[in-house]
Amino acid sequence: MSFEYAPAPESRAVVSIKPKYGHFIGGKFVAGNKHFPTVNPATEEVLSQIALAGKPEVDAAVKAARKAYVSTWSKMSGKERGKYLYRIARIMQERAREFAVLETLDNGKPIRESRDTDIPLAAAHFFYHAGWADKLEFAGVGTSPKPLGVAGQIIPWNFPLLMLAWKVAPALATGNTVVLKPAESTSLTALLFAEVCQQAELPAGVVNIVTGDGSTGALIVNHPGIDKIAFTGSTEVGKIIARAVAPTKKSVTLELGGKAANIVFEDAPIDETVEGIVNGIFFNQGHVCCAGSRLLLQENVAEEVLHKLKNRMEKIRVGDPMDKNTDVGAINSKEQLAKIVELAATGDVEGAERWSPACNLPAKGFWFAPTIFTGVTQAHRIAREEIFGPVLSVLTFRTPQEAIEKANNTPFGLSAGIWSEKGSRTLWASQQLRAGVIWANTFNKFDPTSPFGGYKESGWGREGGRHGLSAYLKGVSHE
Ligand code: ADP
């Protein structure tokens, strides 16, 4: 039996979106030159006009960050820096509803996720790093930790505010100043964060936010006044950045793509596993670099798992992201939808079998129904390439060794999942898997205390935890 849900829309009255935004440089909002629209992907409504930073704006932001670094931030005691981080964290909590609504409008993710995951976790990153600011000598990152200087930070659109927090909180806690660029389709919460910096009376220039596209990102990457680049995004752009910084003295951390194996052994608790599979691939519309996008099922339980998974998928509610009952929202952009459609079509052509539950997708906006492909082999593009959408590729295996070989047979190595009731099997498998994060009997769990990052083409360095601190300090190994 299925239940009917009455509409439960979140109100957007809590946010006020300006018709046009500039950049946040040296503690002030400055007018932009050129602009481009940012749209609500669930309705295609233009929400605002975002400024496109060129060389003059990036130069001004780097100059402001350097000035703040030299004159204020690097001289301030860790205890004082920590106070600012605590203040920012508290204001983010106070304004959490505003942030959640704005994130959902601009990104298309369900309000339930922005409210319960993105925003609380973003605040948690500031609280966690505030705690380290005056204890860096005891963090196991050297007895006299020194900041790097000015950090250029470039983030993607899938977790806009959360990725900002992952970047800004450790940089500030360790005494660096920043120039951050949000992704072109999701700048609004970063610009609201700039207001929070003003409200927290953060010294001018410690955080600078310039908006724009890849050309702005490239100006940051190649700027001679920047000491460190922290990037989260596609492996393709990560490679461009790695090439650009290789001949320079810049430090770099890269958090790139993934194609995680979610491995279900025959002794797995099937009902919990099905929930974990759904969370692993349909959370945030599958716009997750560590998504469990390759499901590896042990052959003797495959039929049962697939049957239960399809039943569960029939109950997923796809639609208005502002409705509190929605599970899967809109695809972030027209371009991303086109990429998902194109890659999914290769699944059909290459002989995999596609299945989606019946769902009424809204007429306007960018949508893709939760989809699984069975009969997938290692050679299929949908088993090798990151789709970054709500599409699950299902493969099977007979022996645990075969599962590991298939799981590791990828250029990526960001995350993996293991479902088994046997502790010994879980430990054995986690030692064999070449992935930076491995979840056992759960998936997509994040915590600021836990380092996150990948092997191989999934990136360099770690973010979060003590490891993440070292990525912003001089002379400390990144791994
Ligand atoms: P996605 O494919 O998920 O959109 P991208 O890697 O293209 O990921 O984008 C992630 C971030 O990198 C965005 O903020 C984007 O503007 C920025 N970006 C894109 N191209 C470049 C580039 N050549 N140099 C620096 N940043 C870039």
Side-chain angles (χ1 to χ4, degrees), residues 154-157 181-184 212-219 221 231-235 237-238 240-241 336 339 388:
I154 299 165
I155 56 173
W157 45 260
K181 188 194 86 65
E184 46 272 49
D213 59 12
S215 65
T216 310
L219 286 167
V221 168
F231 171 77
T232 298
S234 61
T235 294
V237 175
I240 298 174
I241 293 177
Q336 186 58 27
K339 281 188 200 167
F388 223 66

PDB file of all heavy atoms in Angstrom, residues 154-157 181-184 212-219 221 231-235 237-238 240-241 336 339 388, ligand 1:
ATOM      1  N   ILE A 154      38.437  26.872  -5.475  1.00  0.00           N
ATOM      2  CA  ILE A 154      37.457  26.773  -6.572  1.00  0.00           C
ATOM      3  C   ILE A 154      36.553  25.585  -6.278  1.00  0.00           C
ATOM      4  O   ILE A 154      37.034  24.471  -6.069  1.00  0.00           O
ATOM      5  CB  ILE A 154      38.199  26.588  -7.913  1.00  0.00           C
ATOM      6  CG1 ILE A 154      39.096  27.810  -8.152  1.00  0.00           C
ATOM      7  CG2 ILE A 154      37.216  26.402  -9.067  1.00  0.00           C
ATOM      8  CD1 ILE A 154      40.135  27.611  -9.210  1.00  0.00           C
ATOM      9  N   ILE A 155      35.265  25.847  -6.256  1.00  0.00           N
ATOM     10  CA  ILE A 155      34.342  24.794  -5.793  1.00  0.00           C
ATOM     11  C   ILE A 155      33.251  24.497  -6.827  1.00  0.00           C
ATOM     12  O   ILE A 155      32.971  25.315  -7.700  1.00  0.00           O
ATOM     13  CB  ILE A 155      33.723  25.160  -4.418  1.00  0.00           C
ATOM     14  CG1 ILE A 155      33.007  26.516  -4.462  1.00  0.00           C
ATOM     15  CG2 ILE A 155      34.798  25.147  -3.333  1.00  0.00           C
ATOM     16  CD1 ILE A 155      32.237  26.840  -3.197  1.00  0.00           C
ATOM     17  N   PRO A 156      32.635  23.333  -6.707  1.00  0.00           N
ATOM     18  CA  PRO A 156      31.613  22.909  -7.677  1.00  0.00           C
ATOM     19  C   PRO A 156      30.199  23.261  -7.208  1.00  0.00           C
ATOM     20  O   PRO A 156      30.015  23.867  -6.155  1.00  0.00           O
ATOM     21  CB  PRO A 156      31.807  21.396  -7.691  1.00  0.00           C
ATOM     22  CG  PRO A 156      32.171  21.078  -6.274  1.00  0.00           C
ATOM     23  CD  PRO A 156      32.906  22.266  -5.730  1.00  0.00           C
ATOM     24  N   TRP A 157      29.219  22.789  -7.993  1.00  0.00           N
ATOM     25  CA  TRP A 157      27.831  23.195  -7.745  1.00  0.00           C
ATOM     26  C   TRP A 157      27.014  22.161  -6.982  1.00  0.00           C
ATOM     27  O   TRP A 157      25.853  22.402  -6.684  1.00  0.00           O
ATOM     28  CB  TRP A 157      27.126  23.508  -9.076  1.00  0.00           C
ATOM     29  CG  TRP A 157      27.377  22.483 -10.145  1.00  0.00           C
ATOM     30  CD1 TRP A 157      28.266  22.598 -11.175  1.00  0.00           C
ATOM     31  CD2 TRP A 157      26.756  21.188 -10.295  1.00  0.00           C
ATOM     32  NE1 TRP A 157      28.242  21.456 -11.945  1.00  0.00           N
ATOM     33  CE2 TRP A 157      27.324  20.586 -11.434  1.00  0.00           C
ATOM     34  CE3 TRP A 157      25.767  20.498  -9.590  1.00  0.00           C
ATOM     35  CZ2 TRP A 157      26.938  19.303 -11.878  1.00  0.00           C
ATOM     36  CZ3 TRP A 157      25.394  19.230 -10.019  1.00  0.00           C
ATOM     37  CH2 TRP A 157      25.977  18.648 -11.150  1.00  0.00           C
ATOM     38  N   LYS A 181      36.054  31.021  -5.403  1.00  0.00           N
ATOM     39  CA  LYS A 181      35.107  31.161  -6.522  1.00  0.00           C
ATOM     40  C   LYS A 181      34.083  30.021  -6.475  1.00  0.00           C
ATOM     41  O   LYS A 181      34.441  28.854  -6.631  1.00  0.00           O
ATOM     42  CB  LYS A 181      35.831  31.099  -7.867  1.00  0.00           C
ATOM     43  CG  LYS A 181      34.861  31.450  -9.002  1.00  0.00           C
ATOM     44  CD  LYS A 181      35.391  31.087 -10.360  1.00  0.00           C
ATOM     45  CE  LYS A 181      35.101  29.666 -10.749  1.00  0.00           C
ATOM     46  NZ  LYS A 181      33.660  29.365 -10.917  1.00  0.00           N
ATOM     47  N   PRO A 182      32.807  30.377  -6.294  1.00  0.00           N
ATOM     48  CA  PRO A 182      31.779  29.325  -6.379  1.00  0.00           C
ATOM     49  C   PRO A 182      31.545  28.929  -7.832  1.00  0.00           C
ATOM     50  O   PRO A 182      32.020  29.600  -8.747  1.00  0.00           O
ATOM     51  CB  PRO A 182      30.533  30.006  -5.795  1.00  0.00           C
ATOM     52  CG  PRO A 182      30.767  31.473  -5.932  1.00  0.00           C
ATOM     53  CD  PRO A 182      32.249  31.699  -5.992  1.00  0.00           C
ATOM     54  N   ALA A 183      30.820  27.837  -8.037  1.00  0.00           N
ATOM     55  CA  ALA A 183      30.500  27.404  -9.407  1.00  0.00           C
ATOM     56  C   ALA A 183      29.495  28.372 -10.019  1.00  0.00           C
ATOM     57  O   ALA A 183      28.686  28.982  -9.316  1.00  0.00           O
ATOM     58  CB  ALA A 183      29.931  25.998  -9.385  1.00  0.00           C
ATOM     59  N   GLU A 184      29.549  28.484 -11.338  1.00  0.00           N
ATOM     60  CA  GLU A 184      28.737  29.507 -12.014  1.00  0.00           C
ATOM     61  C   GLU A 184      27.234  29.326 -11.821  1.00  0.00           C
ATOM     62  O   GLU A 184      26.489  30.291 -11.835  1.00  0.00           O
ATOM     63  CB  GLU A 184      29.085  29.608 -13.501  1.00  0.00           C
ATOM     64  CG  GLU A 184      29.208  28.303 -14.255  1.00  0.00           C
ATOM     65  CD  GLU A 184      30.618  27.703 -14.195  1.00  0.00           C
ATOM     66  OE1 GLU A 184      31.171  27.607 -13.077  1.00  0.00           O
ATOM     67  OE2 GLU A 184      31.144  27.326 -15.256  1.00  0.00           O
ATOM     68  N   GLY A 212      32.056  33.747 -11.099  1.00  0.00           N
ATOM     69  CA  GLY A 212      32.395  33.663 -12.520  1.00  0.00           C
ATOM     70  C   GLY A 212      32.430  32.227 -12.968  1.00  0.00           C
ATOM     71  O   GLY A 212      32.032  31.317 -12.233  1.00  0.00           O
ATOM     72  N   ASP A 213      32.946  32.017 -14.179  1.00  0.00           N
ATOM     73  CA  ASP A 213      32.969  30.662 -14.745  1.00  0.00           C
ATOM     74  C   ASP A 213      34.393  30.091 -14.734  1.00  0.00           C
ATOM     75  O   ASP A 213      35.248  30.543 -13.971  1.00  0.00           O
ATOM     76  CB  ASP A 213      32.360  30.674 -16.150  1.00  0.00           C
ATOM     77  CG  ASP A 213      33.120  31.604 -17.090  1.00  0.00           C
ATOM     78  OD1 ASP A 213      34.231  32.052 -16.720  1.00  0.00           O
ATOM     79  OD2 ASP A 213      32.618  31.870 -18.198  1.00  0.00           O
ATOM     80  N   GLY A 214      34.642  29.143 -15.633  1.00  0.00           N
ATOM     81  CA  GLY A 214      35.960  28.525 -15.685  1.00  0.00           C
ATOM     82  C   GLY A 214      37.069  29.524 -15.990  1.00  0.00           C
ATOM     83  O   GLY A 214      38.210  29.352 -15.533  1.00  0.00           O
ATOM     84  N   SER A 215      36.735  30.597 -16.741  1.00  0.00           N
ATOM     85  CA  SER A 215      37.792  31.576 -17.067  1.00  0.00           C
ATOM     86  C   SER A 215      38.238  32.292 -15.796  1.00  0.00           C
ATOM     87  O   SER A 215      39.429  32.579 -15.615  1.00  0.00           O
ATOM     88  CB  SER A 215      37.293  32.571 -18.118  1.00  0.00           C
ATOM     89  OG  SER A 215      36.241  33.359 -17.593  1.00  0.00           O
ATOM     90  N   THR A 216      37.301  32.552 -14.888  1.00  0.00           N
ATOM     91  CA  THR A 216      37.668  33.179 -13.600  1.00  0.00           C
ATOM     92  C   THR A 216      38.508  32.195 -12.787  1.00  0.00           C
ATOM     93  O   THR A 216      39.510  32.565 -12.166  1.00  0.00           O
ATOM     94  CB  THR A 216      36.394  33.562 -12.809  1.00  0.00           C
ATOM     95  OG1 THR A 216      35.521  34.285 -13.667  1.00  0.00           O
ATOM     96  CG2 THR A 216      36.723  34.378 -11.583  1.00  0.00           C
ATOM     97  N   GLY A 217      38.078  30.917 -12.823  1.00  0.00           N
ATOM     98  CA  GLY A 217      38.829  29.880 -12.102  1.00  0.00           C
ATOM     99  C   GLY A 217      40.266  29.815 -12.597  1.00  0.00           C
ATOM    100  O   GLY A 217      41.214  29.747 -11.805  1.00  0.00           O
ATOM    101  N   ALA A 218      40.427  29.885 -13.918  1.00  0.00           N
ATOM    102  CA  ALA A 218      41.777  29.808 -14.493  1.00  0.00           C
ATOM    103  C   ALA A 218      42.626  31.012 -14.063  1.00  0.00           C
ATOM    104  O   ALA A 218      43.829  30.876 -13.821  1.00  0.00           O
ATOM    105  CB  ALA A 218      41.683  29.718 -16.010  1.00  0.00           C
ATOM    106  N   LEU A 219      41.991  32.180 -13.960  1.00  0.00           N
ATOM    107  CA  LEU A 219      42.752  33.372 -13.510  1.00  0.00           C
ATOM    108  C   LEU A 219      43.255  33.172 -12.080  1.00  0.00           C
ATOM    109  O   LEU A 219      44.371  33.584 -11.745  1.00  0.00           O
ATOM    110  CB  LEU A 219      41.854  34.619 -13.568  1.00  0.00           C
ATOM    111  CG  LEU A 219      41.567  35.179 -14.961  1.00  0.00           C
ATOM    112  CD1 LEU A 219      40.426  36.203 -14.907  1.00  0.00           C
ATOM    113  CD2 LEU A 219      42.829  35.836 -15.543  1.00  0.00           C
ATOM    114  N   VAL A 221      43.826  30.168 -10.631  1.00  0.00           N
ATOM    115  CA  VAL A 221      44.848  29.102 -10.662  1.00  0.00           C
ATOM    116  C   VAL A 221      46.205  29.653 -11.103  1.00  0.00           C
ATOM    117  O   VAL A 221      47.247  29.290 -10.560  1.00  0.00           O
ATOM    118  CB  VAL A 221      44.390  27.970 -11.614  1.00  0.00           C
ATOM    119  CG1 VAL A 221      45.523  27.001 -11.912  1.00  0.00           C
ATOM    120  CG2 VAL A 221      43.192  27.238 -11.025  1.00  0.00           C
ATOM    121  N   PHE A 231      40.956  22.746  -5.017  1.00  0.00           N
ATOM    122  CA  PHE A 231      39.937  22.606  -6.067  1.00  0.00           C
ATOM    123  C   PHE A 231      39.073  21.385  -5.809  1.00  0.00           C
ATOM    124  O   PHE A 231      39.586  20.315  -5.465  1.00  0.00           O
ATOM    125  CB  PHE A 231      40.638  22.463  -7.423  1.00  0.00           C
ATOM    126  CG  PHE A 231      39.703  22.105  -8.562  1.00  0.00           C
ATOM    127  CD1 PHE A 231      38.886  23.075  -9.135  1.00  0.00           C
ATOM    128  CD2 PHE A 231      39.632  20.801  -9.047  1.00  0.00           C
ATOM    129  CE1 PHE A 231      38.026  22.747 -10.184  1.00  0.00           C
ATOM    130  CE2 PHE A 231      38.770  20.467 -10.085  1.00  0.00           C
ATOM    131  CZ  PHE A 231      37.969  21.448 -10.658  1.00  0.00           C
ATOM    132  N   THR A 232      37.782  21.522  -5.988  1.00  0.00           N
ATOM    133  CA  THR A 232      36.887  20.371  -6.060  1.00  0.00           C
ATOM    134  C   THR A 232      36.102  20.504  -7.353  1.00  0.00           C
ATOM    135  O   THR A 232      35.518  21.556  -7.618  1.00  0.00           O
ATOM    136  CB  THR A 232      35.915  20.314  -4.865  1.00  0.00           C
ATOM    137  OG1 THR A 232      36.672  20.172  -3.669  1.00  0.00           O
ATOM    138  CG2 THR A 232      34.967  19.133  -4.978  1.00  0.00           C
ATOM    139  N   GLY A 233      36.113  19.446  -8.165  1.00  0.00           N
ATOM    140  CA  GLY A 233      35.383  19.503  -9.430  1.00  0.00           C
ATOM    141  C   GLY A 233      35.714  18.290 -10.270  1.00  0.00           C
ATOM    142  O   GLY A 233      36.094  17.234  -9.743  1.00  0.00           O
ATOM    143  N   SER A 234      35.621  18.469 -11.568  1.00  0.00           N
ATOM    144  CA  SER A 234      35.795  17.325 -12.462  1.00  0.00           C
ATOM    145  C   SER A 234      37.274  16.943 -12.598  1.00  0.00           C
ATOM    146  O   SER A 234      38.170  17.780 -12.452  1.00  0.00           O
ATOM    147  CB  SER A 234      35.239  17.682 -13.842  1.00  0.00           C
ATOM    148  OG  SER A 234      35.943  18.785 -14.366  1.00  0.00           O
ATOM    149  N   THR A 235      37.508  15.681 -12.921  1.00  0.00           N
ATOM    150  CA  THR A 235      38.876  15.199 -13.129  1.00  0.00           C
ATOM    151  C   THR A 235      39.512  15.933 -14.310  1.00  0.00           C
ATOM    152  O   THR A 235      40.697  16.251 -14.292  1.00  0.00           O
ATOM    153  CB  THR A 235      38.854  13.672 -13.361  1.00  0.00           C
ATOM    154  OG1 THR A 235      38.406  13.066 -12.143  1.00  0.00           O
ATOM    155  CG2 THR A 235      40.226  13.123 -13.704  1.00  0.00           C
ATOM    156  N   VAL A 237      39.060  19.091 -15.344  1.00  0.00           N
ATOM    157  CA  VAL A 237      39.597  20.398 -14.926  1.00  0.00           C
ATOM    158  C   VAL A 237      40.725  20.198 -13.913  1.00  0.00           C
ATOM    159  O   VAL A 237      41.719  20.933 -13.929  1.00  0.00           O
ATOM    160  CB  VAL A 237      38.470  21.314 -14.374  1.00  0.00           C
ATOM    161  CG1 VAL A 237      39.049  22.602 -13.827  1.00  0.00           C
ATOM    162  CG2 VAL A 237      37.453  21.625 -15.474  1.00  0.00           C
ATOM    163  N   GLY A 238      40.623  19.181 -13.086  1.00  0.00           N
ATOM    164  CA  GLY A 238      41.694  18.878 -12.128  1.00  0.00           C
ATOM    165  C   GLY A 238      43.023  18.655 -12.832  1.00  0.00           C
ATOM    166  O   GLY A 238      44.078  19.109 -12.374  1.00  0.00           O
ATOM    167  N   ILE A 240      43.879  19.918 -15.749  1.00  0.00           N
ATOM    168  CA  ILE A 240      44.340  21.223 -16.267  1.00  0.00           C
ATOM    169  C   ILE A 240      45.040  21.986 -15.140  1.00  0.00           C
ATOM    170  O   ILE A 240      46.112  22.565 -15.317  1.00  0.00           O
ATOM    171  CB  ILE A 240      43.141  22.057 -16.809  1.00  0.00           C
ATOM    172  CG1 ILE A 240      42.474  21.338 -17.978  1.00  0.00           C
ATOM    173  CG2 ILE A 240      43.568  23.466 -17.179  1.00  0.00           C
ATOM    174  CD1 ILE A 240      41.190  22.003 -18.487  1.00  0.00           C
ATOM    175  N   ILE A 241      44.430  21.942 -13.945  1.00  0.00           N
ATOM    176  CA  ILE A 241      45.000  22.671 -12.803  1.00  0.00           C
ATOM    177  C   ILE A 241      46.342  22.060 -12.406  1.00  0.00           C
ATOM    178  O   ILE A 241      47.314  22.781 -12.149  1.00  0.00           O
ATOM    179  CB  ILE A 241      43.995  22.684 -11.631  1.00  0.00           C
ATOM    180  CG1 ILE A 241      42.774  23.531 -12.031  1.00  0.00           C
ATOM    181  CG2 ILE A 241      44.640  23.212 -10.349  1.00  0.00           C
ATOM    182  CD1 ILE A 241      41.662  23.579 -11.020  1.00  0.00           C
ATOM    183  N   GLN A 336      24.159  19.684 -17.461  1.00  0.00           N
ATOM    184  CA  GLN A 336      24.375  18.438 -16.731  1.00  0.00           C
ATOM    185  C   GLN A 336      23.340  17.400 -17.151  1.00  0.00           C
ATOM    186  O   GLN A 336      23.657  16.219 -17.302  1.00  0.00           O
ATOM    187  CB  GLN A 336      24.317  18.693 -15.213  1.00  0.00           C
ATOM    188  CG  GLN A 336      24.666  17.487 -14.374  1.00  0.00           C
ATOM    189  CD  GLN A 336      26.055  16.926 -14.676  1.00  0.00           C
ATOM    190  OE1 GLN A 336      26.943  17.666 -15.108  1.00  0.00           O
ATOM    191  NE2 GLN A 336      26.241  15.637 -14.485  1.00  0.00           N
ATOM    192  N   LYS A 339      24.410  15.769 -20.275  1.00  0.00           N
ATOM    193  CA  LYS A 339      25.495  14.788 -20.061  1.00  0.00           C
ATOM    194  C   LYS A 339      24.924  13.466 -19.549  1.00  0.00           C
ATOM    195  O   LYS A 339      25.345  12.386 -19.969  1.00  0.00           O
ATOM    196  CB  LYS A 339      26.493  15.314 -19.015  1.00  0.00           C
ATOM    197  CG  LYS A 339      27.467  16.322 -19.547  1.00  0.00           C
ATOM    198  CD  LYS A 339      28.530  16.621 -18.475  1.00  0.00           C
ATOM    199  CE  LYS A 339      29.206  17.942 -18.765  1.00  0.00           C
ATOM    200  NZ  LYS A 339      30.002  18.447 -17.656  1.00  0.00           N
ATOM    201  N   PHE A 388      27.357  11.278 -12.723  1.00  0.00           N
ATOM    202  CA  PHE A 388      26.999  12.433 -11.888  1.00  0.00           C
ATOM    203  C   PHE A 388      25.504  12.736 -11.991  1.00  0.00           C
ATOM    204  O   PHE A 388      25.081  13.868 -12.204  1.00  0.00           O
ATOM    205  CB  PHE A 388      27.833  13.653 -12.277  1.00  0.00           C
ATOM    206  CG  PHE A 388      28.334  14.415 -11.082  1.00  0.00           C
ATOM    207  CD1 PHE A 388      29.243  13.843 -10.204  1.00  0.00           C
ATOM    208  CD2 PHE A 388      27.884  15.702 -10.809  1.00  0.00           C
ATOM    209  CE1 PHE A 388      29.700  14.544  -9.088  1.00  0.00           C
ATOM    210  CE2 PHE A 388      28.340  16.412  -9.700  1.00  0.00           C
ATOM    211  CZ  PHE A 388      29.248  15.829  -8.843  1.00  0.00           C
TER     212      PHE A 388
HETATM  213  P1  ADP B   1      31.520  20.107 -13.197  1.00  0.00           P
HETATM  214  O1  ADP B   1      31.827  19.238 -14.373  1.00  0.00           O
HETATM  215  O2  ADP B   1      31.090  19.361 -12.005  1.00  0.00           O
HETATM  216  O3  ADP B   1      30.722  21.330 -13.511  1.00  0.00           O
HETATM  217  P2  ADP B   1      33.969  21.569 -13.257  1.00  0.00           P
HETATM  218  O4  ADP B   1      35.265  20.934 -12.930  1.00  0.00           O
HETATM  219  O5  ADP B   1      33.707  21.975 -14.666  1.00  0.00           O
HETATM  220  O6  ADP B   1      32.908  20.600 -12.672  1.00  0.00           O
HETATM  221  O7  ADP B   1      33.732  22.835 -12.351  1.00  0.00           O
HETATM  222  C1  ADP B   1      34.135  22.939 -11.006  1.00  0.00           C
HETATM  223  C2  ADP B   1      34.623  24.350 -10.747  1.00  0.00           C
HETATM  224  O8  ADP B   1      35.777  24.579 -11.539  1.00  0.00           O
HETATM  225  C3  ADP B   1      33.641  25.445 -11.126  1.00  0.00           C
HETATM  226  O9  ADP B   1      33.716  26.460 -10.148  1.00  0.00           O
HETATM  227  C4  ADP B   1      34.154  25.922 -12.468  1.00  0.00           C
HETATM  228  O10 ADP B   1      33.803  27.256 -12.753  1.00  0.00           O
HETATM  229  C5  ADP B   1      35.643  25.792 -12.283  1.00  0.00           C
HETATM  230  N1  ADP B   1      36.428  25.661 -13.525  1.00  0.00           N
HETATM  231  C6  ADP B   1      36.027  25.187 -14.740  1.00  0.00           C
HETATM  232  N2  ADP B   1      37.035  25.213 -15.622  1.00  0.00           N
HETATM  233  C7  ADP B   1      38.118  25.690 -14.962  1.00  0.00           C
HETATM  234  C8  ADP B   1      39.499  25.943 -15.315  1.00  0.00           C
HETATM  235  N3  ADP B   1      39.965  25.692 -16.531  1.00  0.00           N
HETATM  236  N4  ADP B   1      40.339  26.423 -14.363  1.00  0.00           N
HETATM  237  C9  ADP B   1      39.886  26.638 -13.116  1.00  0.00           C
HETATM  238  N5  ADP B   1      38.613  26.448 -12.718  1.00  0.00           N
HETATM  239  C10 ADP B   1      37.742  25.979 -13.618  1.00  0.00           C
END
